Amino acid sequence: MHLDLSADDVLTTTRSVRKRLDLERPVERSVVEECLDIALQAPTGSNRQGWQFVIVEDAAKKQALADIYARNFQKYAGMAASNEYQPGDPRYDQKGRVTSSAEHLVENFHRVPMMMIPCITGQLDRAPAFQAASAWGSILPAVWSFMLALRERAMGSAWTTIHLMDGGDAEAAEILGIPHDQVTQAGLFPIAYTIGTDFKPADRLPLDTVLHWDEW
């Protein structure tokens, strides 16, 4: 299934999807592989192509990853940056919806048809800025391309990183056999068809509050 969205439409309506993930509909491996083939066309530093993608279907492994995520979420919730937004800021107005959506994912993460952990070659903990920026610049475009490809195929995901806290990345590596000393995990992504496809552009901060010409 293709939605035949324009490039601008897919770029402006690809959302972090949590409450509208269809937890009952199976996801075909072939569709995910098609999206990953598109992701492999993303830019990559020095043409290294040092990315690896771990897809998880096994129910026990999904539950184990969801447990790590839920444990860390309880710690994260109290220190989330969204707690600092003030009235008048669009992020303040969205906080309730975002919190409810995040809590829904915590409660249902184990039920998603598939999960994905993208990895990039190299251990980036305390890496120099150049090395870290180069590595992240090679995995983030690929993962975003994957999410855009999902959107065009009536599917969705959410870029989550909470499982990486407090040694959770090492636990996930042990569960999945990821060589933790050789690669860095970039997140944990639910993969599912979406309930409906009518996603809209989000309410963001005005451009003039984040744009700088020639100097800060």
Side-chain angles (χ1 to χ4, degrees):
M1 178 180 179
H2 284 255
L3 301 180
D4 294 326
L5 300 171
S6 71
D8 284 358
D9 284 340
V10 77
L11 285 166
T12 57
T13 65
T14 299
R15 307 261 68 85
S16 284
V17 185
R18 300 179 182 93
K19 283 190 173 181
R20 290 176 59 182
L21 295 172
D22 190 335
L23 303 175
E24 305 299 331
R25 182 176 175 181
V27 170
E28 304 87 348
R29 285 190 175 189
S30 60
V31 178
V32 172
E33 290 174 348
E34 187 176 285
C35 293
L36 285 171
D37 268 332
I38 291 172
L40 296 184
Q41 293 298 313
T44 167
S46 300
N47 196 32
R48 291 188 66 188
Q49 303 178 50
W51 42 47
Q52 299 287 332
F53 302 90
V54 183
I55 305 294
V56 184
E57 295 178 303
D58 180 81
K61 292 180 179 179
K62 287 192 296 181
Q63 182 68 66
L65 294 173
D67 289 345
I68 296 170
Y69 188 88
R71 181 193 70 211
N72 284 352
F73 182 84
Q74 300 309 314
K75 305 172 188 176
Y76 170 79
M79 62 180 185
S82 59
N83 297 334
E84 303 171 4
Y85 301 142
Q86 300 299 315
D89 186 319
R91 295 169 294 182
Y92 177 88
D93 297 332
Q94 297 162 357
K95 178 183 175 181
R97 297 195 302 274
V98 171
T99 299
S100 176
S101 176
E103 291 173 344
H104 175 81
L105 184 60
V106 171
E107 295 167 0
N108 293 281
F109 217 145
H110 64 288
R111 298 179 59 203
V112 301
M114 292 182 185
M115 297 178 181
M116 179 183 75
I117 293 183
C119 302
I120 188 70
T121 301
Q123 190 42 259
L124 302 182
D125 184 33
R126 299 180 181 176
F130 167 75
Q131 178 187 350
S134 297
W136 289 122
S138 290
I139 188 64
L140 303 189
V143 177
W144 181 231
S145 291
F146 176 75
M147 294 180 71
L148 295 172
L150 289 177
R151 165 69 174 137
E152 168 61 20
R153 289 158 179 77
M155 300 173 71
S157 186
W159 198 316
T160 80
T161 55
I162 291 174
H163 90 283
L164 302 172
M165 293 171 52
D166 294 341
D169 55 341
E171 293 180 60
E174 184 174 354
I175 292 166
L176 301 175
I178 296 172
H180 183 59
D181 59 339
Q182 300 174 32
V183 301
T184 296
Q185 300 170 46
L188 175 62
F189 295 74
I191 300 173
Y193 282 96
T194 58
I195 300 171
T197 60
D198 56 334
F199 294 94
K200 307 296 182 184
D203 186 14
R204 298 298 196 206
L205 293 171
L207 176 61
D208 61 10
T209 66
V210 298
L211 175 63
H212 309 272
W213 291 99
D214 291 329
E215 61 183 0
W216 189 270

